[in-house]
Each structure stands twice: as structure tokens, then as C-alpha cells.
Amino acid sequence: MPSLVAFVPVSVLVVAVPGPSVLFAVGRALTLGRRSALLTVVGNGAGLAVQAATIATGVGALLAAMSGALVVLRVAGGLYLGWLGVQAIRRRREPAPTVGPSSAGAGADLRAGFVVGVSNPKTLVFLTALLPQFVPATAAPAPQMAALGAIFAVVAILGDSVWALGAGAARGWFARSPRRLQGVQAAGGVVLIGLGTYSIASGARA
């Protein structure tokens, strides 16, 4: 219990700092709307939970030690983000319900968020270093780390949802004008492309 009490505020502080998942949620909210962004946030949280599970079984530590695997994760995630951004810009003049990958429904939003969450190498390295610090020496490490990872995922969902709701509300004002809405959808696409480019560049430097 003491470790849990200490872990929750640390998780809140980490999530409060805007990172790739926040930028991704904001970009989705601007391009596709609040519902899409919230589903994306949930998918991202599921990806984080999977990362925590791999860490608990020891796979996460192995991947973190393999620089080549991290490069592949960065580049793959960056290319996917860039593709989403290009799609948002190309389809900015389409009616809102059919813009981008969300035209396939909620499942596409969840998958998009999951791919970004599970392929985020920085989170993998961070959780690999963080989770063991809060596991009591007398406890079985695997279930403890899996549980803490699940808690971190929930905190991330709640924190990123705040950003998604704020960006979705701003998009509502832009939606009153087709021209403004097209502009904000394009801006959201640019955010996603920029995030993807940064991820690829980080992989190239690794």
C-alpha cells in the first residue's frame, strides 16, 4: 500500500507533462472531433497497459536494452503518425463524420491510439526504469509491476482526456465556419506529421 500511495502522485506528475500521447490526442480532436480523440486516448492507455505487461514479464527490459528494437519502434510509430496527419490534411474538405481513419468507426480510433501507445519507446524505457522502484522487496515483482502499469495507464487516460476535451471544445467553435474547420483540421494534421517526424528523427539519432 505505501508503494501505491507514492506511485499515484508520481504518475500524475508524469502524465501532466505534455508528451507524444497528448499531442496525438489533441491532433485527433482538432481533425476528427472530441469523440474520436477520447477513443484514441483509451486505445493509447491500452497500449501502455500492454507495455507494462511486457515489462512485468521481463520482455520490456530486454527491448529497452536493444537499441535496434527501439529504433524500429520509433520509426514505425513515426511513419504511422505521419500517415494519419497526411490523411487528415488530404480529407479536410470532407464532411466531419468521414474525415480520416475514423470513418471506419470507433474500432479505428481505438486501434490508432493503441498503435501509438504500444509503439512509444520512450514510455517503454521510462516504465522499465520506474515500475521496479515501487515494488516491495518482499512482493512478487511480475504481478506488482503489471498492476502498477495498469494504474499508470488509467492515470494517463484521465489526464490525456482533459487535453482531448479541451481541444474538442475549441474545434466546436471552429466548426461554425467550414473554412475555419478545414483550417483546424489541417493544423491537426500538421501536428501529427510533426510528431511523427520528431519520432523518426529521434530514431535516426539513436
Side-chain angles (χ1 to χ4, degrees), residues 80-96:
Y80 184 66
L81 287 169
W83 179 80
L84 290 177
V86 170
Q87 290 294 96
I89 294 174
R90 286 182 59 246
R91 302 182 181 180
R92 66 187 183 278
R93 293 187 175 85
E94 296 181 8

Side-chain angles (χ1 to χ4, degrees), residues 73-133:
L73 283 174
R74 287 193 183 102
V75 173
L79 290 174
Y80 184 66
L81 287 169
W83 179 80
L84 290 177
V86 170
Q87 290 294 96
I89 294 174
R90 286 182 59 246
R91 302 182 181 180
R92 66 187 183 278
R93 293 187 175 85
E94 296 181 8
T98 61
V99 173
S102 268
S103 59
D109 293 316
L110 292 170
R111 286 193 298 273
F114 179 82
V115 169
V116 171
V118 80
S119 66
N120 186 344
K122 292 185 178 180
T123 307
L124 179 64
V125 174
F126 174 76
L127 290 178
T128 300
L130 178 69
L131 295 182
Q133 308 302 320

Side-chain angles (χ1 to χ4, degrees), residues 7-8 14 31 37 43 72 86-87 90 100 122 128 145 147 166 172 195 204:
F7 180 75
V8 171
V14 171
T31 56
V72 171
V86 170
Q87 290 294 96
R90 286 182 59 246
K122 292 185 178 180
T128 300
M145 285 195 291
L195 183 57

